[in-house]
């Protein structure tokens, strides 16, 4: 495995190699964005994301492969179903485009030293989790377990392959630390939610928010996990204060999943660089 990664790194350093990887990152990112759209639509409705092909939500007609190409199919069809002419949500286009763009951007960040190469897969996973969780939390006020739990598992796997994610020295140490910090985050946040709930008489953190934070610890390690929570809390405090100042009530509050998503993307993009600068 290490030999393959070394050969890939050498190929990546060449101009032709980077161009190939950049095109591949855009294509793969677009495909993941397309799948993320399926998750955003089906998971809150408790529909299977595996056993049924993509279909129009109006006429229920299955989409052909050429109508399911990320970004391009939406533009070619002008956002409408080929069969019933019903319009598709602009969300499909923006999710696919932003995912493809972020996959490319993070690859550029690795090339120019903003993000370490060993954090690349964790960064891509963090972005998918952030975008999907933020969207479902805003629209449906829920963060599906189908998004957060796979991200936790991915974080443990990545921490075994790249122990640096957990500031560990061995693959076993990386995996064990990732699982341990996930459990610690769960215990602390559950305790915080109960104490804050009893004091404020309102729900401070939902179950989806807690699992999102647990996934952040799995993907980013202890320092990154706490940084995500801190930045999300500051963002939430500032935004909620501004909403109150302009006369909006609690019913207009922005779900915490959006703040967690923004904080996680910021950390995955430049957090490791900032941590290295701070330690240095």
């Amino acid at each position: 495995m290490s030999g393959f990664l070394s050969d890939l790194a050498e190929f990546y350093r060449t101009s032709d190699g980077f161009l190939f990887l950049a095109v591949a990152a855009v294509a793969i990112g677009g495909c993941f964005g397309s799948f993320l759209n399926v998750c955003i639509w089906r998971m809150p409705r408790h529909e299977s994301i595996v056993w049924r092909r993509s279909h129009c939500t109006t006429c229920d007609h299955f989409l052909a492969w050429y109508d399911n190409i990320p970004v391009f199919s939406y533009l070619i069809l002008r956002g409408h179903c080929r069969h019933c002419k019903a319009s598709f949500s602009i969300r499909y286009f923006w999710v696919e485009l932003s995912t493809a763009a972020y996959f490319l951007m993070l690859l550029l960040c690795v090339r120019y030293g903003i993000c370490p190469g060993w954090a690349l897969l964790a960064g891509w996973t963090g972005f998918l989790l952030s975008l999907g969780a933020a969207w479902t939390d805003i629209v449906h006020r829920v963060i599906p377990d189908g998004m957060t739990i796979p991200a936790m598992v991915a974080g443990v796997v990545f921490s075994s392959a790249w122990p640096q994610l957990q500031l560990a020295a061995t693959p076993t140490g990386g995996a064990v630390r990732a699982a341990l910090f996930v459990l610690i985050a769960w215990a602390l946040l559950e305790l915080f939610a109960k104490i804050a709930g009893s004091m404020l008489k309102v729900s401070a953190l939902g179950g989806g928010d807690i699992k999102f934070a647990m996934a952040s610890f799995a993907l980013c390690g202890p320092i990154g996990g706490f940084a995500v929570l801190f930045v999300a809390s500051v963002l939430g405090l500032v935004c909620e204060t501004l909403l109150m100042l302009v006369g909006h009530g609690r019913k207009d509050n922005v779900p915490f999943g959006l703040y967690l998503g923004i904080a996680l993307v910021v950390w995955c993009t430049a957090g490791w660089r900032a941590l290295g600068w701070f330690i240095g």
Side-chain angles (χ1 to χ4, degrees), residues 144-192:
D145 290 347
M147 293 181 180
T148 53
I149 294 177
M152 293 183 211
V153 175
V156 174
V157 173
F158 295 156
S159 297
S160 177
W162 296 278
Q164 301 96 317
L165 286 170
Q166 302 295 333
L167 306 180
T170 63
T172 302
V176 170
R177 285 193 179 192
L180 180 61
F181 288 129
V182 164
L183 293 176
I184 292 174
W186 170 76
L188 291 177
L189 291 172
E190 284 283 359
L191 179 62
F192 170 79

Side-chain angles (χ1 to χ4, degrees), residues 219-233:
L219 292 168
C220 306
I223 298 177
F226 281 114
V228 168
L229 280 175
F230 175 76
V231 172
S233 300

Side-chain angles (χ1 to χ4, degrees), residues 32-244:
F32 271 103
S34 180
F35 179 69
L36 186 61
N37 272 320
V38 173
C39 296
I40 291 171
W41 173 263
R42 297 187 188 183
M43 281 184 175
R45 294 170 174 81
H46 305 289
E47 298 179 14
S48 172
I49 62 173
V50 177
W51 300 114
R52 196 179 185 203
R53 287 171 48 192
S54 297
H55 58 278
C56 173
T57 56
T58 300
C59 68
D60 212 35
H61 195 284
F62 289 127
L63 303 182
W65 67 267
Y66 47 80
D67 289 337
N68 215 16
I69 301 173
V71 179
F72 292 102
S73 290
Y74 190 96
L75 294 175
I76 292 172
L77 295 173
R78 298 182 180 179
H80 291 79
C81 174
R82 184 185 296 274
H83 303 279
C84 70
K85 307 305 179 184
S87 61
F88 295 140
S89 171
I90 191 64
R91 165 180 60 84
Y92 292 97
F93 173 78
W94 286 117
V95 168
E96 292 169 356
L97 182 63
S98 60
T99 306
Y102 186 79
F103 272 43
L104 175 60
M105 187 187 78
L106 199 59
L107 190 66
L108 289 168
C109 288
V110 170
R111 184 173 179 84
Y112 293 106
I114 300 174
C115 175
W118 43 263
L120 186 63
L121 292 180
W124 284 343
T125 305
F127 180 79
L128 292 172
L129 170 64
S130 298
L131 187 59
W135 198 285
T136 55
D137 204 17
I138 291 172
V139 177
H140 302 282
R141 299 283 170 161
V142 64
I143 301 177
D145 290 347
M147 293 181 180
T148 53
I149 294 177
M152 293 183 211
V153 175
V156 174
V157 173
F158 295 156
S159 297
S160 177
W162 296 278
Q164 301 96 317
L165 286 170
Q166 302 295 333
L167 306 180
T170 63
T172 302
V176 170
R177 285 193 179 192
L180 180 61
F181 288 129
V182 164
L183 293 176
I184 292 174
W186 170 76
L188 291 177
L189 291 172
E190 284 283 359
L191 179 62
F192 170 79
K194 289 181 179 180
I195 294 175
S198 63
M199 294 177 60
L200 302 176
K201 305 302 180 183
V202 294
S203 177
L205 283 174
D209 297 327
I210 293 175
K211 291 170 187 173
F212 190 117
M214 292 164 63
S216 299
F217 276 82
L219 292 168
C220 306
I223 298 177
F226 281 114
V228 168
L229 280 175
F230 175 76
V231 172
S233 300
V234 172
L235 282 174
L237 179 62
V238 172
C239 292
E240 298 304 318
T241 301
L242 292 176
L243 283 174
M244 292 176 61

